[in-house]
Amino acid sequence: MTKHHSKNKQLIIIGGGASGLAASCIAAKYNIDTLLIEKNAKLARKLLASGNGRCNLLNAGEPIYFGDEEFAESVLNNCSFDKLVDFFSSLGLVLKQEEGGRIYPATGRADTVLDCLMRPLKNSSVNININERAVSIEPLNEGFKLIAEKAEYTCDNLILAGGSIASPKLGGTEDMYNMLMPLGFNLIPPRPALCGIDCDMKPYISLDGTRLMAICTLVCNDKPIAASIGEVLFSKRGLSGVCIMQLARFLPKNTENCHIYLDFSPTLGIDYCLEYMYANEIDYINEKHSALIKSNETAINMPCDMGLVKPSDIYRNTDKALEFLKERLAILNKDDILLGALPSKLLRICTKNSLKETAKSITALKFSSLSPRGFEHAQVAAGGISTENIDPSTMQTFYSKLYIAGETLNVDGDCGGYNLMFAFASGILAAEHVAGKY
Ligand SMILES: Cc1cc2nc3c(=O)[nH]c(=O)nc-3n(C[C@H](O)[C@H](O)[C@H](O)COP(=O)(O)OP(=O)(O)OC[C@H]3O[C@@H](n4cnc5c(N)ncnc54)[C@H](O)[C@@H]3O)c2cc1C
């Protein structure tokens, strides 16, 4: 069957997610003759699922990105937080800020964000084809040919905003990688990030359903790789919770010699959060973020429900825990030493013959046989198309008028609104360049 050929478009955007819709809004604003192609029947499925349906769409703090981190920061210098707030205000969206600089729609509903992104597209220069999957790109002397499943298109400018392989149930695919690699782009192998970590739970099966504050340290080949603080959720298959999800991107391919150590000091009140971090000179992994925490007086009161910390000695709190246990011997016998300090399900697991061993188990409980929960459960992919030779002020690639935006790129952000923020910013910059604005 011969494919339908559409008339040449000024701009085609592949992907109706966060970055593609932000780009579409700019295209509509400048009246650019645009076609948005989306393979799903519904637009922006990840955006709608984001933040547990509340959509944590921006973060007011310093950027925390991994992969091509400098590139991400540069994109967010070019399309700053203030500019993004102005963009959403111009769409009518009312925003509110919560702890950790997290920004949500004031309604607390992701569909409000989608409603606002869709409004400028109605009766605009942007046409939308849903249920249309883009397959390959052919650079022409002037512009590009786009081959999709149902039709072939030509355009002067092309923005690839088809996202990553993460979360296939919500539209994640490898399509962008497969379309870009034949054109000479490098792919940094994608791996699941921001997902739970499965581990051998046989010794801890009774913990199923428990939640507890802990300092979590990932150690591979006896070397601490990354650490985070937050509430850990225990299940039959492994560990989850934001602080565990934050560690997933640091897991190497071969996890044979990797373990997670949980330190329950925050629950025991031995020391807590920032006080703990100050006392031990532990900084946030991101130097700028650390500077922010240290220079911002209000941050001292920030609830410590999340955060990446510099990995340090895994037994850093064991001596303090031993002192804590010795003090309790005055009121409790040795077998009940943890009673009232930890949930009952943990007592049998952590109470050992000697106080020293007990102190060790409550500050460095070891979990082994680690594996990330996989792309099906990952909020984002670490890795992606390398940003070398992509201009962070326009998102234009080494092909003139070919742009890449959003999670397709080798950029992943921490939990807290950073991933959507990068997707929106990069989509806006690309479309503004097409419009000749920058
Ligand atoms: C459950 C969940 C919760 C999340 N929560 C947050 C959060 O609170 N805050 C945050 O910052 N980030 C969050 N994220 C991450 C965030 O949603 C993504 O980083 C962001 O949506 C990426 O935007 P994007 O435009 O690059 O890709 P996407 O939003 O994935 O959009 C890509 C679009 O392209 C379409 N597409 C793909 N291939 C093709 C093709 N060949 N042809 C046509 N169309 C195609 C897809 O169907 C999709 O609609 C969450 C992710 C998940 C899965």
Side-chain angles (χ1 to χ4, degrees):
M1 194 175 79
T2 50
K3 283 187 177 171
H4 165 73
H5 287 258
S6 129
K7 80 172 174 57
N8 188 65
K9 286 277 172 188
Q10 207 178 340
L11 169 64
I12 290 182
I13 299 169
I14 305 174
S19 54
L21 287 175
S24 300
C25 287
I26 301 296
K29 178 176 169 184
Y30 294 110
N31 206 23
I32 300 170
D33 180 26
T34 301
L35 178 64
L36 172 65
I37 288 181
E38 166 57 50
K39 74 173 168 54
N40 285 339
K42 282 188 181 165
L43 298 167
R45 292 186 59 199
K46 278 192 196 172
L47 179 112
L48 288 172
S50 66
N52 280 331
R54 293 176 63 221
C55 188
N56 176 196
L57 73 162
L58 303 173
N59 193 295
E62 289 292 312
I64 308 180
Y65 289 97
F66 306 101
D68 292 340
E69 179 188 332
E70 281 175 19
F71 178 87
E73 289 182 16
S74 186
V75 165
L76 286 157
N77 280 334
N78 292 309
C79 185
S80 65
F81 172 75
D82 290 345
K83 181 168 168 171
L84 287 164
V85 170
D86 287 348
F87 170 74
F88 283 108
S89 301
S90 76
L91 302 181
L93 187 66
V94 182
L95 299 170
K96 69 172 174 187
Q97 183 168 334
E98 296 188 6
E99 71 189 36
R102 294 165 180 229
I103 309 283
Y104 294 86
T107 58
R109 295 179 58 104
D111 57 0
T112 310
V113 181
L114 183 57
D115 289 348
C116 289
L117 286 164
M118 292 305 291
R119 189 188 53 84
L121 308 187
K122 282 183 197 135
N123 305 318
S124 76
S125 61
V126 179
N127 291 313
I128 302 177
N129 277 10
I130 53 165
N131 293 318
E132 175 68 307
R133 183 177 206 146
V135 177
S136 65
I137 303 164
E138 222 177 90
L140 305 172
N141 283 341
E142 291 281 320
F144 302 91
K145 184 201 251 186
L146 174 67
I147 298 156
E149 275 176 352
K150 294 182 192 157
E152 288 183 3
Y153 305 88
T154 54
C155 59
D156 303 330
N157 298 276
L158 183 56
I159 300 178
L160 274 86
S164 78
I165 186 182
S167 204
K169 280 196 184 128
L170 296 172
T173 60
E174 291 182 293
D175 289 3
M176 297 303 103
Y177 315 143
N178 294 338
M179 288 168 80
L180 284 162
M181 282 194 297
L183 299 184
F185 289 89
N186 283 331
L187 178 70
I188 310 301
R191 53 192 201 285
L194 293 180
C195 62
I197 298 178
D198 288 343
C199 42
D200 177 10
M201 292 300 283
K202 274 189 231 99
Y204 309 116
I205 208 74
S206 61
L207 294 181
D208 182 29
T210 305
R211 296 166 172 258
L212 208 60
M213 280 291 291
I215 300 161
C216 320
T217 307
L218 171 66
V219 177
C220 294
N221 298 316
D222 295 325
K223 198 170 155 244
I225 306 283
S228 62
I229 299 179
E231 194 181 53
V232 180
L233 277 62
F234 300 83
S235 71
K236 288 195 182 88
R237 62 184 293 188
L239 306 172
S240 61
V242 169
C243 58
I244 295 293
M245 288 165 66
Q246 285 172 311
L247 297 184
R249 77 166 317 288
F250 298 102
L251 280 173
K253 209 169 178 187
N254 179 357
T255 59
E256 208 178 330
N257 294 318
C258 292
H259 311 279
I260 288 177
Y261 290 84
L262 297 186
D263 174 351
F264 300 112
S265 299
T267 296
L268 296 162
I270 293 175
D271 51 19
Y272 188 66
C273 193
L274 293 177
E275 278 166 35
Y276 166 84
M277 290 160 67
Y278 284 123
N280 293 281
E281 292 180 15
I282 296 170
D283 289 343
Y284 271 57
I285 270 185
N286 183 302
E287 295 298 324
K288 286 190 185 157
H289 202 60
S290 127
L292 175 87
I293 295 290
K294 286 185 177 166
S295 64
N296 182 349
E297 282 176 27
T298 58
I300 300 289
N301 298 320
M302 193 181 78
C304 193
D305 69 338
M306 53 144 251
L308 288 162
V309 293
K310 228 181 222 173
S312 180
D313 173 17
I314 41 169
Y315 297 113
R316 59 201 160 203
N317 266 348
T318 306
D319 288 347
K320 272 193 171 176
L322 189 57
E323 276 168 43
F324 167 84
L325 296 175
K326 281 181 182 162
E327 279 171 25
R328 288 169 65 85
L329 269 184
I331 45 166
L332 297 162
N333 65 42
K334 219 175 90 211
D335 291 342
D336 290 335
I337 200 79
L338 292 172
L339 186 78
L342 287 176
S344 53
K345 286 177 176 177
L346 256 179
L347 300 187
R348 198 177 305 161
I349 291 170
C350 292
T351 310
K352 307 285 178 193
N353 286 336
S354 75
L355 280 194
K356 215 172 168 185
E357 284 300 303
T358 304
K360 206 170 145 187
S361 70
I362 58 178
T363 51
L365 195 63
K366 188 176 176 184
F367 293 77
S368 304
S369 307
L370 311 180
S371 67
R373 212 153 275 182
F375 284 118
E376 312 86 75
H377 300 279
Q379 292 198 355
V380 291
I385 296 293
S386 166
T387 61
E388 61 200 335
N389 303 321
I390 299 180
D391 181 345
S393 58
T394 64
M395 308 311 292
Q396 188 169 218
T397 65
F398 47 83
Y399 287 91
S400 171
K401 301 186 179 184
L402 179 70
Y403 304 79
I404 309 175
E407 213 188 293
T408 300
L409 294 167
N410 178 31
V411 167
D412 59 301
D414 196 11
C415 244
Y418 297 101
N419 287 298
L420 282 171
M421 184 151 99
F422 178 76
F424 292 130
S426 52
I428 289 171
L429 289 175
E432 280 183 344
H433 194 252
V434 174
K437 291 298 152 192
Y438 295 96

